[in-house]
Coordinates of all heavy atoms in Angstrom, one line a residue:
M1123 N -13.0 -4.5 45.7 CA -13.9 -3.7 44.8 C -13.0 -3.0 43.8 O -12.9 -1.8 43.7 CB -14.7 -2.7 45.7 CG -15.7 -2.0 45.0 SD -16.8 -1.2 46.2 CE -17.4 0.1 45.2
N1124 N -12.4 -3.8 43.0 CA -11.4 -3.2 42.0 C -12.1 -3.0 40.6 O -11.7 -2.2 39.8 CB -10.2 -4.1 41.9 CG -9.0 -3.4 41.3 OD1 -8.9 -2.2 41.4 ND2 -8.1 -4.1 40.7
E1125 N -13.2 -3.8 40.4 CA -13.9 -3.7 39.1 C -14.9 -2.6 39.2 O -15.6 -2.4 40.2 CB -14.5 -5.0 38.8 CG -15.0 -5.1 37.3 CD -15.4 -6.5 36.9 OE1 -14.5 -7.3 36.7 OE2 -16.6 -6.8 36.9
I1126 N -15.1 -1.9 38.0 CA -16.0 -0.8 38.0 C -16.7 -0.8 36.6 O -16.2 -1.3 35.6 CB -15.3 0.5 38.3 CG1 -16.2 1.7 38.4 CG2 -14.3 0.8 37.2 CD1 -15.6 2.9 39.0
N1127 N -17.9 -0.3 36.6 CA -18.7 -0.1 35.3 C -18.7 1.4 35.0 O -19.0 2.2 35.8 CB -20.1 -0.5 35.5 CG -20.3 -2.0 35.5 OD1 -19.6 -2.7 34.8 ND2 -21.1 -2.5 36.4
L1128 N -18.3 1.7 33.7 CA -18.4 3.0 33.2 C -19.6 3.1 32.3 O -19.7 2.2 31.3 CB -17.1 3.4 32.5 CG -15.8 3.4 33.3 CD1 -14.7 3.9 32.4 CD2 -16.0 4.3 34.5
D1129 N -20.5 4.0 32.5 CA -21.6 4.2 31.6 C -21.3 5.4 30.7 O -21.3 6.5 31.1 CB -22.9 4.5 32.4 CG -23.4 3.3 33.2 OD1 -23.0 2.2 32.9 OD2 -24.3 3.5 34.0
F1130 N -21.1 5.1 29.4 CA -20.8 6.1 28.4 C -22.2 6.5 27.8 O -22.8 5.6 27.2 CB -19.9 5.6 27.3 CG -18.4 5.5 27.8 CD1 -18.0 4.4 28.5 CD2 -17.6 6.5 27.5 CE1 -16.7 4.3 28.9 CE2 -16.2 6.5 27.9 CZ -15.8 5.4 28.6
I1131 N -22.5 7.7 27.9 CA -23.8 8.2 27.3 C -23.5 9.1 26.2 O -22.8 10.2 26.3 CB -24.6 9.0 28.4 CG1 -24.8 8.1 29.6 CG2 -25.9 9.5 27.8 CD1 -25.3 8.8 30.8
Y1132 N -23.9 8.8 25.0 CA -23.6 9.5 23.7 C -24.9 9.5 22.8 O -25.3 8.4 22.5 CB -22.4 8.9 23.0 CG -22.0 9.6 21.8 CD1 -21.5 10.9 21.8 CD2 -22.1 9.0 20.5 CE1 -21.1 11.5 20.6 CE2 -21.8 9.6 19.4 CZ -21.3 10.9 19.4 OH -20.9 11.5 18.2
Q1133 N -25.4 10.6 22.5 CA -26.5 10.8 21.6 C -27.7 9.9 22.1 O -28.4 9.2 21.3 CB -26.2 10.4 20.2 CG -25.2 11.4 19.6 CD -24.9 11.1 18.1 OE1 -25.1 10.0 17.6 NE2 -24.5 12.1 17.4
G1134 N -27.9 10.0 23.4 CA -29.1 9.3 24.0 C -28.9 7.8 24.2 O -29.8 7.1 24.8
N1135 N -27.8 7.2 23.8 CA -27.5 5.8 24.0 C -26.5 5.6 25.1 O -25.5 6.4 25.2 CB -26.9 5.2 22.7 CG -27.9 5.2 21.6 OD1 -29.1 4.9 21.7 ND2 -27.4 5.7 20.4
T1136 N -26.7 4.6 25.9 CA -25.8 4.2 27.0 C -25.1 2.9 26.7 O -25.7 1.9 26.4 CB -26.5 4.1 28.3 OG1 -27.2 5.4 28.6 CG2 -25.5 3.8 29.5
I1137 N -23.7 2.9 26.8 CA -22.9 1.7 26.6 C -22.1 1.5 27.9 O -21.4 2.4 28.3 CB -22.0 1.8 25.4 CG1 -22.9 1.9 24.1 CG2 -21.1 0.6 25.3 CD1 -22.1 2.0 22.8
K1138 N -22.3 0.3 28.5 CA -21.5 0.0 29.7 C -20.2 -0.7 29.3 O -20.2 -1.5 28.5 CB -22.3 -0.9 30.6 CG -23.5 -0.3 31.2 CD -24.1 -1.3 32.2 CE -25.4 -0.7 32.8 NZ -25.1 0.3 33.8
I1139 N -19.1 -0.2 30.0 CA -17.8 -0.9 29.8 C -17.3 -1.2 31.2 O -17.2 -0.3 32.0 CB -16.8 0.1 29.0 CG1 -17.4 0.3 27.6 CG2 -15.4 -0.5 29.0 CD1 -16.4 1.0 26.7
Q1140 N -16.9 -2.5 31.3 CA -16.3 -2.9 32.6 C -14.8 -2.7 32.5 O -14.2 -2.9 31.5 CB -16.6 -4.4 32.9 CG -18.0 -4.6 33.3 CD -18.2 -6.1 33.7 OE1 -17.6 -7.0 33.2 NE2 -19.2 -6.3 34.6
C1141 N -14.2 -2.2 33.6 CA -12.8 -2.0 33.7 C -12.3 -2.1 35.1 O -13.1 -2.4 36.0 CB -12.5 -0.6 33.1 SG -13.2 0.7 34.0
Q1142 N -11.0 -2.0 35.3 CA -10.4 -2.0 36.6 C -10.1 -0.6 37.0 O -9.9 0.3 36.2 CB -9.1 -2.8 36.6 CG -9.3 -4.3 36.1 CD -10.2 -5.1 37.1 OE1 -10.0 -5.0 38.3 NE2 -11.2 -5.8 36.5
R1143 N -10.1 -0.3 38.3 CA -9.8 1.0 38.8 C -8.4 1.5 38.4 O -8.2 2.7 38.3 CB -9.9 1.0 40.3 CG -11.3 0.9 40.8 CD -11.5 1.3 42.2 NE -12.9 1.1 42.7 CZ -13.9 1.9 42.5 NH1 -13.6 3.1 41.9 NH2 -15.1 1.7 42.9
N1144 N -7.5 0.6 38.1 CA -6.1 1.0 37.8 C -5.9 1.1 36.2 O -4.8 1.4 35.8 CB -5.1 0.2 38.4 CG -5.1 -1.3 38.0 OD1 -6.1 -1.7 37.3 ND2 -4.2 -2.1 38.4
D1145 N -7.0 1.0 35.4 CA -6.9 1.1 34.0 C -6.8 2.6 33.6 O -7.4 3.4 34.3 CB -8.2 0.5 33.3 CG -8.2 -1.0 33.3 OD1 -7.2 -1.6 33.6 OD2 -9.3 -1.5 33.0
Y1146 N -6.0 2.9 32.6 CA -5.9 4.2 32.1 C -7.2 4.6 31.3 O -7.7 3.8 30.5 CB -4.7 4.4 31.3 CG -3.4 4.6 32.1 CD1 -2.6 3.5 32.4 CD2 -3.1 5.8 32.7 CE1 -1.5 3.6 33.2 CE2 -2.0 6.0 33.5 CZ -1.2 4.9 33.7 OH -0.1 5.0 34.5
M1147 N -7.6 5.8 31.4 CA -8.8 6.3 30.7 C -8.6 6.2 29.2 O -9.5 5.8 28.5 CB -9.2 7.7 31.1 CG -9.7 7.8 32.5 SD -11.0 6.8 33.0 CE -12.3 7.4 31.9
K1148 N -7.4 6.5 28.7 CA -7.2 6.4 27.3 C -7.4 5.0 26.7 O -7.9 4.9 25.6 CB -5.8 6.9 26.9 CG -4.6 6.1 27.4 CD -3.3 6.6 27.1 CE -2.2 5.9 27.8 NZ -0.9 6.5 27.6
D1149 N -7.1 4.0 27.4 CA -7.4 2.6 27.0 C -8.8 2.3 27.0 O -9.4 1.7 26.1 CB -6.6 1.6 27.9 CG -5.1 1.8 27.8 OD1 -4.6 2.2 26.7 OD2 -4.4 1.6 28.8
I1150 N -9.6 2.8 27.9 CA -11.0 2.6 28.0 C -11.7 3.4 26.9 O -12.6 2.9 26.2 CB -11.6 3.0 29.4 CG1 -10.9 2.1 30.5 CG2 -13.1 2.9 29.4 CD1 -11.0 2.7 31.8
F1151 N -11.2 4.6 26.7 CA -11.8 5.4 25.6 C -11.6 4.7 24.2 O -12.5 4.7 23.4 CB -11.1 6.8 25.5 CG -11.4 7.7 26.6 CD1 -10.6 8.8 26.8 CD2 -12.4 7.5 27.5 CE1 -10.9 9.7 27.8 CE2 -12.7 8.4 28.5 CZ -11.9 9.5 28.7
K1152 N -10.5 4.1 24.0 CA -10.2 3.4 22.7 C -11.2 2.2 22.6 O -11.8 2.0 21.5 CB -8.8 2.8 22.7 CG -7.7 3.9 22.5 CD -6.4 3.2 22.5 CE -5.3 4.3 22.5 NZ -4.0 3.8 22.7
R1153 N -11.5 1.5 23.7 CA -12.5 0.4 23.6 C -13.9 0.9 23.3 O -14.6 0.3 22.5 CB -12.5 -0.3 25.0 CG -11.3 -1.2 25.2 CD -11.1 -1.8 26.6 NE -12.4 -2.3 27.1 CZ -12.6 -2.5 28.4 NH1 -11.6 -2.3 29.3 NH2 -13.7 -3.0 28.8
Y1154 N -14.2 2.0 23.9 CA -15.5 2.6 23.7 C -15.6 3.1 22.2 O -16.7 2.9 21.6 CB -15.8 3.8 24.7 CG -17.0 4.5 24.4 CD1 -18.3 3.9 24.6 CD2 -17.0 5.8 23.9 CE1 -19.5 4.6 24.3 CE2 -18.2 6.5 23.6 CZ -19.4 5.9 23.8 OH -20.5 6.6 23.5
L1155 N -14.6 3.8 21.7 CA -14.7 4.4 20.4 C -14.8 3.3 19.3 O -15.4 3.5 18.3 CB -13.4 5.3 20.2 CG -13.4 6.6 21.0 CD1 -12.0 7.2 20.9 CD2 -14.5 7.5 20.5
V1156 N -14.2 2.1 19.5 CA -14.4 1.0 18.6 C -15.9 0.6 18.6 O -16.4 0.4 17.5 CB -13.5 -0.2 19.0 CG1 -13.9 -1.4 18.3 CG2 -12.0 0.2 18.8
K1157 N -16.5 0.6 19.7 CA -17.9 0.2 19.8 C -18.8 1.2 19.1 O -19.8 0.8 18.5 CB -18.4 0.1 21.2 CG -17.8 -1.2 22.0 CD -18.3 -1.2 23.4 CE -17.8 -2.4 24.1 NZ -18.5 -3.6 23.9
I1158 N -18.5 2.5 19.1 CA -19.4 3.4 18.4 C -18.8 3.9 17.1 O -19.4 4.8 16.4 CB -19.7 4.7 19.3 CG1 -18.4 5.5 19.6 CG2 -20.4 4.2 20.6 CD1 -18.6 6.8 20.2
S1159 N -17.7 3.3 16.6 CA -17.1 3.6 15.3 C -16.8 5.1 15.2 O -17.2 5.7 14.2 CB -18.0 3.1 14.2 OG -18.2 1.8 14.3
K1160 N -16.2 5.7 16.2 CA -15.8 7.1 16.1 C -14.3 7.2 16.3 O -13.7 6.4 16.9 CB -16.5 7.9 17.2 CG -18.0 8.1 17.0 CD -18.3 9.1 16.0 CE -19.8 9.3 15.9 NZ -20.1 10.2 14.8
D1161 N -13.8 8.4 15.9 CA -12.4 8.7 16.1 C -12.3 9.6 17.4 O -13.2 10.3 17.7 CB -11.9 9.5 14.9 CG -10.4 9.8 14.9 OD1 -9.6 8.9 14.6 OD2 -10.1 10.9 15.4
I1162 N -11.2 9.5 18.0 CA -10.9 10.2 19.3 C -11.1 11.7 19.0 O -11.4 12.5 19.9 CB -9.6 9.9 19.9 CG1 -9.4 10.5 21.3 CG2 -8.4 10.3 19.0 CD1 -10.3 9.9 22.4
N1163 N -10.8 12.2 17.8 CA -10.9 13.6 17.5 C -12.3 14.1 17.3 O -12.5 15.3 17.2 CB -10.0 13.9 16.3 CG -8.5 13.6 16.5 OD1 -8.0 14.0 17.6 ND2 -7.9 13.0 15.6
D1164 N -13.2 13.2 17.2 CA -14.6 13.5 17.0 C -15.4 13.8 18.3 O -16.5 14.3 18.2 CB -15.3 12.5 16.2 CG -14.8 12.3 14.8 OD1 -14.2 13.3 14.3 OD2 -14.9 11.3 14.2
V1165 N -14.9 13.3 19.4 CA -15.6 13.4 20.7 C -14.7 13.8 21.8 O -13.5 13.7 21.7 CB -16.3 12.0 21.0 CG1 -17.3 11.6 20.0 CG2 -15.2 10.9 21.1
Y1166 N -15.3 14.2 22.9 CA -14.6 14.4 24.1 C -15.4 13.9 25.3 O -16.6 13.7 25.1 CB -14.1 15.8 24.3 CG -15.2 16.8 24.5 CD1 -15.8 17.2 25.7 CD2 -15.7 17.5 23.3 CE1 -16.8 18.1 25.8 CE2 -16.8 18.4 23.4 CZ -17.3 18.7 24.7 OH -18.3 19.6 24.8
F1167 N -14.8 13.6 26.4 CA -15.4 12.9 27.5 C -15.5 13.7 28.7 O -14.5 14.4 29.1 CB -14.7 11.6 27.8 CG -14.6 10.6 26.6 CD1 -13.5 10.7 25.7 CD2 -15.6 9.8 26.3 CE1 -13.5 9.8 24.6 CE2 -15.6 8.9 25.2 CZ -14.5 8.9 24.4
M1168 N -16.7 13.7 29.4 CA -16.9 14.5 30.6 C -17.4 13.7 31.7 O -18.2 12.8 31.4 CB -17.8 15.7 30.3 CG -17.2 16.6 29.2 SD -18.1 18.2 29.1 CE -17.8 18.9 30.6
C1169 N -17.0 14.0 32.9 CA -17.6 13.4 34.1 C -17.7 14.5 35.2 O -16.8 15.2 35.4 CB -16.6 12.3 34.6 SG -17.2 11.4 36.0
N1170 N -18.9 14.6 35.7 CA -19.2 15.6 36.8 C -18.9 17.0 36.3 O -18.4 17.9 37.0 CB -18.4 15.3 38.1 CG -18.9 14.0 38.7 OD1 -20.0 13.6 38.6 ND2 -17.9 13.3 39.3
G1171 N -19.2 17.3 35.0 CA -19.0 18.6 34.5 C -17.6 19.0 34.1 O -17.3 20.1 33.6
N1172 N -16.6 18.1 34.2 CA -15.2 18.3 33.8 C -14.8 17.4 32.7 O -15.1 16.2 32.7 CB -14.3 18.1 35.1 CG -14.6 19.0 36.2 OD1 -14.8 20.2 36.0 ND2 -14.8 18.5 37.4
R1173 N -14.0 17.9 31.8 CA -13.4 17.1 30.8 C -12.4 16.2 31.4 O -11.6 16.6 32.2 CB -12.8 18.0 29.7 CG -12.4 17.3 28.5 CD -12.1 18.2 27.3 NE -11.8 17.5 26.1 CZ -11.6 18.0 25.0 NH1 -11.7 19.3 24.8 NH2 -11.3 17.3 23.9
I1174 N -12.4 14.9 30.9 CA -11.6 13.9 31.5 C -10.2 13.9 30.8 O -10.1 13.8 29.6 CB -12.2 12.5 31.4 CG1 -13.6 12.5 32.1 CG2 -11.3 11.4 31.9 CD1 -14.4 11.2 31.9
N1175 N -9.2 13.9 31.6 CA -7.8 13.8 31.1 C -7.5 12.3 30.8 O -7.6 11.5 31.7 CB -6.8 14.3 32.1 CG -5.4 14.2 31.7 OD1 -5.0 13.5 30.8 ND2 -4.5 14.9 32.4
E1176 N -7.2 12.0 29.6 CA -7.1 10.5 29.2 C -5.9 9.9 29.8 O -5.8 8.7 29.8 CB -7.1 10.4 27.7 CG -5.8 11.0 27.0 CD -5.9 10.8 25.5 OE1 -6.9 10.6 24.9 OE2 -4.7 10.9 24.9
E1177 N -5.0 10.7 30.4 CA -3.8 10.1 31.0 C -4.0 9.6 32.4 O -3.2 9.0 33.1 CB -2.6 11.1 31.0 CG -2.2 11.5 29.6 CD -1.7 10.3 28.8 OE1 -1.0 9.4 29.3 OE2 -1.9 10.3 27.5
L1178 N -5.2 10.0 33.0 CA -5.5 9.6 34.3 C -6.0 8.1 34.4 O -6.5 7.6 33.4 CB -6.6 10.5 34.9 CG -6.2 11.9 35.1 CD1 -7.4 12.7 35.6 CD2 -5.1 12.1 36.1
K1179 N -5.9 7.5 35.6 CA -6.5 6.2 35.8 C -7.9 6.4 36.3 O -8.3 7.5 36.8 CB -5.7 5.4 36.8 CG -4.3 5.1 36.4 CD -3.6 4.2 37.4 CE -2.2 3.8 36.9 NZ -1.5 3.0 37.9
V1180 N -8.7 5.4 36.2 CA -10.1 5.4 36.6 C -10.2 5.9 38.1 O -11.0 6.7 38.4 CB -10.8 4.1 36.4 CG1 -12.2 4.1 37.0 CG2 -10.9 3.7 34.9
E1181 N -9.4 5.3 38.9 CA -9.4 5.6 40.3 C -9.1 7.1 40.6 O -9.5 7.7 41.6 CB -8.4 4.7 41.1 CG -7.0 4.9 40.8 CD -6.1 3.8 41.3 OE1 -6.6 2.9 42.0 OE2 -4.9 3.9 41.1
E1182 N -8.4 7.8 39.7 CA -8.1 9.2 39.8 C -9.3 10.1 39.4 O -9.4 11.2 39.9 CB -6.9 9.6 39.0 CG -5.6 8.9 39.5 CD -4.4 9.2 38.6 OE1 -4.4 8.6 37.5 OE2 -3.5 9.9 39.0
I1183 N -10.2 9.5 38.7 CA -11.5 10.2 38.3 C -12.5 10.1 39.4 O -13.1 11.1 39.8 CB -12.1 9.6 37.0 CG1 -11.1 9.6 35.8 CG2 -13.4 10.3 36.6 CD1 -10.7 11.0 35.3
N1184 N -12.6 8.9 39.9 CA -13.6 8.6 41.0 C -13.2 7.3 41.6 O -13.2 6.2 41.0 CB -15.0 8.5 40.4 CG -16.1 8.2 41.4 OD1 -15.9 7.6 42.4 ND2 -17.3 8.7 41.1
N1185 N -12.9 7.3 42.9 CA -12.4 6.2 43.6 C -13.4 5.6 44.6 O -13.1 4.6 45.3 CB -11.1 6.5 44.3 CG -10.3 5.2 44.7 OD1 -10.5 4.2 44.0 ND2 -9.5 5.3 45.7
K1186 N -14.6 6.1 44.6 CA -15.6 5.7 45.6 C -16.8 4.9 45.0 O -17.3 4.0 45.6 CB -16.0 6.8 46.5 CG -16.8 7.9 45.7 CD -17.1 9.1 46.7 CE -17.9 10.2 46.1 NZ -17.5 10.7 44.9
D1187 N -17.2 5.3 43.8 CA -18.4 4.7 43.2 C -18.1 3.5 42.4 O -17.0 3.4 41.8 CB -19.1 5.7 42.3 CG -19.6 6.9 43.1 OD1 -20.0 6.7 44.3 OD2 -19.6 8.0 42.6
S1188 N -19.0 2.5 42.3 CA -18.8 1.3 41.5 C -19.3 1.5 40.1 O -19.2 0.6 39.3 CB -19.5 0.1 42.2 OG -20.9 0.4 42.3
E1189 N -20.0 2.6 39.9 CA -20.5 2.9 38.5 C -20.3 4.4 38.3 O -20.6 5.2 39.1 CB -21.9 2.5 38.4 CG -22.5 2.6 37.0 CD -23.8 2.0 36.9 OE1 -23.9 0.7 36.9 OE2 -24.8 2.7 36.9
I1190 N -19.7 4.8 37.1 CA -19.5 6.2 36.8 C -20.1 6.5 35.5 O -20.0 5.7 34.5 CB -17.9 6.4 36.7 CG1 -17.2 6.1 38.0 CG2 -17.7 7.9 36.3 CD1 -15.7 6.1 37.9
K1191 N -20.8 7.6 35.4 CA -21.4 8.1 34.2 C -20.5 9.0 33.5 O -20.0 10.0 34.1 CB -22.8 8.8 34.4 CG -23.8 7.8 35.0 CD -25.2 8.4 35.0 CE -26.2 7.5 35.5 NZ -26.3 6.2 35.1
I1192 N -20.3 8.8 32.2 CA -19.4 9.6 31.3 C -20.2 10.1 30.1 O -20.8 9.3 29.5 CB -18.1 8.8 30.9 CG1 -17.3 8.5 32.1 CG2 -17.3 9.7 29.9 CD1 -16.1 7.6 31.9
I1193 N -20.2 11.4 29.9 CA -20.9 12.0 28.8 C -19.9 12.4 27.7 O -18.9 12.9 28.0 CB -21.7 13.2 29.3 CG1 -22.7 12.8 30.3 CG2 -22.4 13.9 28.1 CD1 -23.5 13.9 31.0

């Protein structure tokens, strides 16, 4: 169970991005930002009420769920 879906919710739209648990969040953020045509300085990412540190790996954010919602 190494693959995981991240649901990015922004302005009422949800975009799913598949990744691996050992991927760094900064790399996933870059992929997402290309899809929504935004700059990293224009947005920030939250999960479970906490701002996400882009230097963490997905498994450090949540290692139990197969799908994670990011706002």
Side-chain angles (χ1 to χ4, degrees):
M1123 190 166 154
N1124 201 25
E1125 193 169 282
I1126 188 166
N1127 286 318
L1128 299 183
D1129 289 344
F1130 285 85
I1131 304 166
Y1132 180 68
Q1133 294 184 336
N1135 298 314
T1136 301
I1137 295 178
K1138 290 185 182 288
I1139 295 190
Q1140 288 186 329
C1141 60
Q1142 301 297 315
R1143 291 194 182 276
N1144 62 351
D1145 288 347
Y1146 282 96
M1147 293 305 297
K1148 64 182 172 186
D1149 298 327
I1150 299 164
F1151 291 165
K1152 287 177 190 172
R1153 288 172 42 200
Y1154 173 71
L1155 291 167
V1156 166
K1157 288 181 181 273
I1158 64 166
S1159 301
K1160 291 284 184 185
D1161 185 84
I1162 189 70
N1163 298 315
D1164 294 337
V1165 295
Y1166 61 93
F1167 301 94
M1168 298 190 68
C1169 182
N1170 297 324
N1172 298 311
R1173 192 165 179 173
I1174 299 172
N1175 178 345
E1176 67 180 21
E1177 298 300 324
L1178 295 178
K1179 292 183 178 182
V1180 174
E1181 64 193 2
E1182 295 173 289
I1183 303 293
N1184 182 326
N1185 198 24
K1186 62 185 184 311
D1187 297 323
S1188 60
E1189 188 168 284
I1190 301 172
K1191 293 193 182 312
I1192 297 177
I1193 299 173

